[in-house]
Structures are given as structure tokens and as C-alpha cells.
Amino acid sequence: MKKEKKTVVIYKGKYGSTKQYAEWIAEELHADLFEADKFLAKDFAKYDNIIYGGALQAGGIKGFELIKKNRMKIMDKKTVIFAVGLNTDSKENRIQVREINFDKYVLAGMTLYYCKGAFDPARVKGMDRTIINLTLKMLKKKPEKEWTQEERQLYHDMTEGADYVDRKYIEPIVAEFREEE
């Protein structure tokens, strides 16, 4: 009889989108679910499969240090990462996220998926507000008639809010683990 592989979904978010995706993935795969701050590094030993999700903030994946610091503990495990943000459709942004977060050691054997998030300008405070204001200021330096469709959408989402959270974004992640069953 084949031993069932044990899977954990770990996440670090801020406004709820990452948590929602993590919950859906854990539900679909009958996996354990932990917020990154509550997961102990020694517990990696209990799992065959690791799924880590983090909200994108200035290109960085929140809490990703947990994976980086413990790469030796998880190098023999199937590890998948998902990043959650508003602007994940652009190839340039995807490349930037990889460059910021993954070095040649972390990247080896890990797949990175993107899930579109939600944004409510009324809930943004502190450093997040500063980042949003800087992004909007950079956009406004360029005449609106020269904006790309992506820039128009980003401006709209950041000023009016948006909710792109959708179960469809977890399908390739779930499929990757179901293929092993």
C-alpha cells in the first residue's frame, strides 16, 4: 500500500486574499493549514509537500524568509509557492517577483504561481499607503494618453479598489499535487 503524502499550506498575508487562497488549497488537498508566524521550522519534517503563499508587497513575497531560511530542511520535498497581488498578469512583473525573491538555490525545484488579489484603498495604512502613493505618483508622471492598458487598470484598482480573488487561480496548484495521488 502506497503511503499517503502529507501536505501543508503555509501563508502570510495582510488583507485576507492570501488567507482565502490558502484555505481553498488546504480544503481541496485535505492539507494542514498554518499562518507563517505560527508554523515552527521543525515541523517541516512532518510533511512531504510544502505549499507557501504570500502577499506581494513591493515585489517581495511576505514571509518568504521562512522558506529561504529552511531550504535545507525542505530540499527533498515538493515545494510550491504562490504569490498574491493585483498586478500579477504582466510578464515583466512575474520576472521581477522571481528576481526579488528567488535566488538560484531557492528556485531549484520550486514552482511559482500567481493569484490575483483584492484591494480596498480605505483599508490601506502606514507603509502600504506610502507604497501605493509612490506607485500612483510614478504613473501620473506619464501622460494618461500614453498609459498602457495594464497601467490604466492598475490606476483604477488602486484608486477605486478591486476584488479579483477567484478559486480558478488555485486550479493549477491543486492539479500539480493531485497528479501525484
Side-chain angles (χ1 to χ4, degrees), residues 71-181:
R71 66 176 158 231
M72 296 308 287
K73 291 179 182 172
I74 63 173
M75 63 190 291
D76 63 335
K77 301 172 186 301
K78 181 175 179 110
T79 305
V80 167
I81 311 301
F82 69 94
V84 180
L86 275 184
N87 204 12
T88 60
D89 290 340
S90 150
K91 182 179 179 182
E92 294 80 23
N93 288 338
R94 290 173 183 240
I95 290 168
Q96 181 184 32
V97 169
R98 281 190 174 277
E99 288 173 351
I100 290 171
N101 297 281
F102 286 51
D103 59 35
K104 64 183 177 184
Y105 302 107
V106 174
L107 183 60
M110 290 186 199
T111 309
L112 176 60
Y113 291 97
Y114 298 88
C115 302
K116 284 200 69 143
F119 181 76
D120 179 355
R123 293 180 60 200
V124 180
K125 310 237 182 305
M127 182 54 81
D128 292 344
R129 170 61 52 208
T130 302
I131 292 168
I132 296 303
N133 287 340
L134 286 172
T135 303
L136 292 173
K137 191 175 181 178
M138 285 180 5
L139 279 172
K140 284 297 217 177
K141 283 184 179 180
K142 188 173 162 182
E144 280 188 50
K145 65 183 180 189
E146 295 177 20
W147 286 5
T148 66
Q149 181 57 36
E150 181 183 272
E151 289 168 332
R152 288 181 202 293
Q153 189 64 53
L154 183 61
Y155 184 83
H156 175 271
D157 293 349
M158 288 183 154
T159 56
E160 303 297 320
D163 186 349
Y164 298 107
V165 176
D166 191 321
R167 244 184 141 97
K168 71 181 180 185
Y169 292 110
I170 71 164
E171 291 171 5
I173 300 167
V174 170
E176 187 168 329
F177 287 91
R178 287 214 170 119
E179 289 171 6
E180 289 186 344
E181 293 177 348

